[in-house]
Amino acid sequence: MRRAEIRRRVIYVATGILLVVLAFTVDWQQVQQSFFQPDIIKAMFPDVVLIGAKNTIIYTTLAFSFGLVLALILALMKRSTIRPYRWFATGYIELFRGLPALITIILVAFGLPLALGIRIPGGTLGKGTLGLGLVAGAYMAETIRAGVEAVPRGQMEAARSLGMPKGTAMTYIILPQAFRIIIPPLTNELVLLIKDTSLLFVIGTTPLSKELTKFARDFMTSTQNATPLTVVAFMYLLITLPLTFLVQRLERKAGKGR
Amino acid sequence: MTVAVPPIEIEDLHKSFGVLEVLRGVDLSVTTGEVICIIGPSGSGKSTLLRCVNLLEVPSAGRVLIEGYDITDPETDVDEVRAKIGMVFQQFNLFPHLTVLKNLTIAQRKVLGRSSDEAISVAEAMLSRVGLADKRDEYPIRLSGGQQQRVAIARSLCMNPDMMLFDEPTSALDPELIGEVLDVMRALADEGMTMLVVTHEMGFAKQVADRVLFIDEGVIQEQGPPREVLENPKSERTRRFLRAVEH
């Protein structure tokens, strides 16, 4: 037998033993009591969906849309021939990628009103999506820029040769190709953003504006049990998995032209 | 055209990339309907010359006049001038995310402001002209190199250009696909299109060109009717190049 084969078998056997030991030592009663209490699960519905999941999706959608528009502007500024535009875009991207998202959210929610007297309207929704979008925009700007640069130079030249002004060429020729290229990393950003909405608890949410994580934490406090965590974990997966599937299909469809 | 001004007039054109001077003073006047083939060793500046004509490269010095308008003048609307000049690239540069038909209609619609119906009918006419009417709904990736290049020519023709620039249009093609592209170009020349062609196809130059330019080291070393330049070159440089190309 080859050494690789032996090593693989050893790993299989060791893993098997570990699982068996685990199965006998773990107090399954205890696990079920802490993480899967049917009463608590029942009590969480339907609000975990109608409030928690709903808000998570709304915050994500808004922050992503805002972030994407911002990122597009930043990416184009970063490639601009006008130097101050490039400086601004670089400064912005480095700043917001460098700060923890939590800090940005706190700054938007509490810093701005304190320092400048600016009140962000829309409560958690307004402050939260603004803060998250500002951060997401910085990350996605670099993604979009990379996508634009991955489109062969000849594409812009062909478009310009046909008489298209730069903006028209960007809109109809370069960006559609760039977005096809960056669908996978953009999906990644979106999934990260879904999870980052859990940071919005710092803003202090009202009962109706809780997202999934805040919802689970409050439920944990009142029940002194970890079951709510299990439930929202499933809720997160319920949101992210279909999304990944959808994007995969989209990607395959977009691949037709390549 | 009623204008007596030459479609392309180049005066003392210089182009440098950093310290490298690629064009060192080129003068050229092209008459309407003239077909000019530009030959020369690689790195001699022939592609750069072509790219200066529609400002894909900005000249370092000198003037380029298109139908009398100085396109190096910052006041000139470059996009308007470019729409009059068709350009065909070595790498085809079709838009891969669009079908053949959309490749042909998008600039008509966004630049010339044609309606969708009009753009489609022009596109279909041009596709038949290059013998690819049945490929209108395909994506470029599904076409052979020769077909892609014919689509690229049709795409340029949709803009009703007054002149066409060809930058080594057959250099990226498999040998058996070169003929179909040259046939399309020959037909265009016969119809009286003004053409500047950078090429290594000496047979094509011999048959189709009104004038052949031999460029080396950034200047026109020799020019004249194909018979003279290709068969009876005056300069030693041209002779050496032609010998090298033949084998």
Side-chain angles (χ1 to χ4, degrees):
Chain A
M1 266 195 295
R2 291 204 329 273
R3 287 185 60 177
E5 179 74 0
I6 296 170
R7 195 179 313 143
R8 198 164 61 214
R9 289 195 182 189
V10 169
I11 290 172
Y12 282 156
V13 171
T15 313
I17 293 171
L18 193 73
L19 286 176
V20 171
V21 171
L22 215 63
F24 279 101
T25 48
V26 167
D27 183 348
W28 290 110
Q29 193 80 30
Q30 182 67 37
V31 169
Q32 198 254 331
Q33 283 291 317
S34 316
F35 291 98
F36 299 97
Q37 268 204 32
D39 293 346
I40 298 179
I41 295 176
K42 229 175 274 169
M44 287 177 76
F45 282 92
D47 282 357
V48 68
V49 178
L50 294 183
I51 295 175
K54 188 194 86 178
N55 284 328
T56 291
I57 291 173
I58 290 177
Y59 296 153
T60 308
T61 313
L62 284 178
F64 189 74
S65 313
F66 169 57
L68 198 61
V69 173
L70 186 65
L72 187 58
I73 296 169
L74 286 167
L76 295 178
M77 281 175 92
K78 192 144 188 201
R79 289 181 47 82
S80 167
T81 48
I82 300 164
R83 219 170 266 159
Y85 282 2
R86 291 205 300 270
W87 291 338
F88 175 82
T90 307
Y92 181 96
I93 292 167
E94 294 309 326
L95 178 68
F96 283 95
R97 278 201 308 191
L99 292 179
L102 196 56
I103 302 275
T104 305
I105 292 166
I106 293 172
L107 276 177
V108 169
F110 306 114
L112 284 184
L114 273 179
L116 306 171
I118 302 170
R119 265 258 177 66
I120 311 298
T124 313
L125 187 70
K127 292 177 207 150
T129 55
L130 179 65
L132 282 176
L134 286 173
V135 179
Y139 281 97
M140 291 193 287
E142 285 294 89
T143 309
I144 294 175
R145 187 176 64 89
V148 167
E149 277 164 17
V151 176
R153 237 175 60 138
Q155 292 291 309
M156 182 54 104
E157 291 184 350
R160 299 304 304 273
S161 297
L162 289 165
M164 287 190 206
K166 209 170 188 177
T168 309
M170 225 0 146
T171 311
Y172 295 101
I173 306 302
I174 306 300
L175 286 178
Q177 294 184 61
F179 273 101
R180 279 168 170 74
I181 296 170
I182 60 173
I183 287 173
L186 273 190
T187 314
N188 209 23
E189 304 285 356
L190 180 57
V191 171
L192 287 175
L193 197 55
I194 291 173
K195 295 183 294 181
D196 274 355
T197 54
S198 62
L199 297 172
L200 295 185
F201 76 91
V202 286
I203 299 180
T205 47
T206 60
L208 283 179
S209 66
K210 291 176 191 171
E211 42 66 53
L212 279 173
T213 303
K214 174 74 171 159
F215 189 90
R217 283 161 51 102
D218 289 355
F219 235 91
M220 278 173 74
T221 315
S222 60
T223 57
Q224 292 298 308
N225 189 282
T227 305
L229 270 190
T230 320
V231 174
V232 297
F234 274 107
M235 295 305 298
Y236 275 114
L237 288 179
L238 223 56
I239 298 171
T240 52
L241 288 182
L243 186 77
T244 316
F245 176 72
L246 191 84
V247 171
Q248 260 170 16
R249 281 193 46 181
L250 200 75
E251 210 178 333
R252 226 171 298 145
K253 208 173 135 226
K256 246 189 359 186
R258 266 189 290 150
Chain B
M1 252 188 313
T2 53
V3 275
V5 284
I8 304 172
E9 186 136 47
I10 297 169
E11 293 170 4
D12 194 30
L13 181 66
H14 289 256
K15 174 66 185 175
S16 304
F17 297 101
V19 290
L20 183 72
E21 195 174 19
V22 179
L23 295 178
R24 308 160 181 247
V26 172
D27 292 275
L28 179 66
S29 182
V30 183
T31 59
T32 303
E34 194 176 17
V35 177
I36 296 184
C37 283
I38 304 171
I39 61 171
S42 63
S44 59
K46 39 191 199 324
S47 284
T48 306
L49 172 63
L50 211 62
R51 292 163 62 85
C52 281
V53 172
N54 72 349
L55 284 199
L56 282 182
E57 305 292 351
V58 181
S60 310
R63 298 205 307 163
V64 177
L65 304 174
I66 298 297
E67 292 172 355
Y69 292 101
D70 184 356
I71 59 167
T72 49
D73 181 347
E75 297 285 296
T76 309
D77 182 351
V78 181
D79 295 319
E80 201 180 311
V81 176
R82 279 197 181 118
K84 286 186 207 168
I85 310 174
M87 175 112 183
V88 175
F89 300 86
Q90 184 176 353
Q91 297 297 338
F92 328 133
N93 293 347
L94 292 181
F95 306 133
H97 62 301
L98 301 176
T99 61
V100 166
L101 191 70
K102 286 251 171 67
N103 262 277
L104 269 63
T105 53
I106 187 144
Q108 292 189 62
R109 302 203 50 197
K110 304 298 171 196
V111 177
L112 303 179
R114 286 181 184 156
S115 71
S116 173
D117 288 346
E118 191 188 358
I120 289 174
S121 78
V122 171
E124 284 176 333
M126 293 306 158
L127 275 180
S128 329
R129 207 163 144 187
V130 300
L132 292 171
D134 56 326
K135 302 289 185 197
R136 49 168 273 174
D137 296 320
E138 294 283 7
Y139 281 90
I141 191 80
R142 302 275 310 267
L143 306 181
S144 73
Q147 291 171 335
Q148 288 192 45
Q149 193 61 298
R150 282 146 69 197
V151 170
I153 294 172
R155 180 175 69 178
S156 288
L157 292 177
C158 284
M159 307 298 287
N160 300 339
D162 294 340
M163 62 205 85
M164 295 275 292
L165 311 175
F166 293 85
D167 189 5
E168 304 202 26
T170 57
S171 297
L173 295 177
D174 291 334
E176 77 271 22
L177 301 176
I178 291 176
E180 61 188 72
V181 174
L182 293 183
D183 286 344
V184 169
M185 290 167 62
R186 194 172 290 130
L188 258 174
D190 289 344
E191 286 161 34
M193 177 64 79
T194 307
M195 291 164 60
L196 273 188
V197 186
V198 171
T199 187
H200 294 294
E201 294 295 324
M202 296 302 157
F204 178 80
K206 223 171 271 183
Q207 283 174 24
V208 181
D210 298 306
R211 186 163 27 141
V212 172
L213 306 185
F214 173 68
I215 293 191
D216 195 12
E217 299 190 333
V219 291
I220 298 176
Q221 302 279 356
E222 185 167 352
Q223 59 176 310
R227 216 143 264 200
E228 269 172 38
V229 178
L230 297 176
E231 284 167 18
N232 220 345
K234 285 190 211 87
S235 89
E236 172 56 30
R237 237 184 247 273
T238 317
R239 236 170 288 154
R240 225 181 311 138
F241 170 73
L242 288 173
R243 230 177 296 136
V245 171
E246 258 143 52
H247 279 293

